[in-house]
Amino acid sequence: MKTLLRGGGLLVRFGGAAEARLVQVLRLAAMPSLRFLLGVVFMWFGALKVAGVSPVAGMVAGTLPWADPHVVVTVLGGVEVLLGVLVVTGIALRLALPVLAAHLCGTFLTFVMLPGLMFTQGDPLLLTADGEFVMKNLVLIGATLALIAHCPARSRNRGPAQPLTARAQASVQE
């Protein structure tokens, strides 16, 4: 039994091989999965706004009080659906992802425009449920930035997207 648990044991060697294979598979699947799931979330949340059944419609309308609430929520929902479709399909990613990041950054305007809705007793460390809902966008911003960083470059002849060559990757890292 001790042999199986020591550094050179069969169990440890098998575990290392399984872990290496899992990492290999995850490296192939991580970015496409992240892109797909981020796009689906945006299509879903946007569709709720377009359909007029979004639970955050009042918050969105209160964040932009100078605009017609029905129009702003519907248009914002349509933009979110469009961005989600672009991200899922991979069309125009180099445009869609930065716009998505900017949109997510814009959601923090709610902390300025509706602080009573975002914080409990005005304490910035005590978020309300709405505050937590908006604050989670930091993670979505991080996911979007990761996708931007891994978005394949287009070749000069405008052919299909190509990953960076080893030489190009080395120059970027320098």
Side-chain angles (χ1 to χ4, degrees):
M1 182 66 166
K2 288 183 180 179
T3 305
L4 289 176
L5 299 177
R6 276 196 267 145
L10 178 64
L11 185 61
V12 172
R13 279 185 271 157
F14 174 74
E19 179 185 7
R21 179 67 181 139
L22 177 62
V23 168
Q24 183 181 22
V25 169
L26 289 176
R27 281 192 180 139
L28 293 173
M31 287 298 136
S33 298
L34 181 61
R35 186 171 58 85
F36 177 79
L37 294 171
L38 184 64
V40 167
V41 165
F42 264 81
M43 287 188 296
W44 188 351
F45 287 4
L48 291 174
K49 289 178 182 80
V50 171
V53 294
S54 174
V56 298
M59 182 175 21
V60 172
T63 303
L64 305 168
W66 54 85
D68 179 335
H70 180 70
V71 171
V72 79
V73 171
T74 304
V75 168
L76 184 62
V79 169
E80 289 176 354
V81 169
L82 176 63
L83 288 170
V85 167
L86 294 175
V87 171
V88 165
T89 62
I91 297 170
L93 278 178
R94 292 188 122 1
L95 173 65
L97 290 172
V99 170
L100 187 62
H103 166 67
L104 286 164
C105 289
T107 64
F108 290 96
L109 185 58
T110 56
F111 287 100
V112 175
M113 298 301 291
L114 301 169
L117 192 61
M118 300 288 113
F119 306 112
T120 301
Q121 301 169 351
D123 186 338
L125 298 178
L126 298 176
L127 295 173
T128 63
D130 290 323
E132 286 185 16
F133 176 78
V134 174
M135 192 58 75
K136 64 91 178 83
N137 287 349
L138 289 173
V139 176
L140 297 179
I141 291 169
T144 305
L145 294 176
L147 289 170
I148 290 170
H150 289 87
C151 189
R154 290 251 172 224
S155 66
R156 291 192 178 162
N157 65 3
R158 298 195 184 267
Q162 301 293 323
L164 291 174
T165 64
R167 184 179 215 171
Q169 287 176 349
S171 68
V172 169
Q173 292 174 350
E174 290 174 1

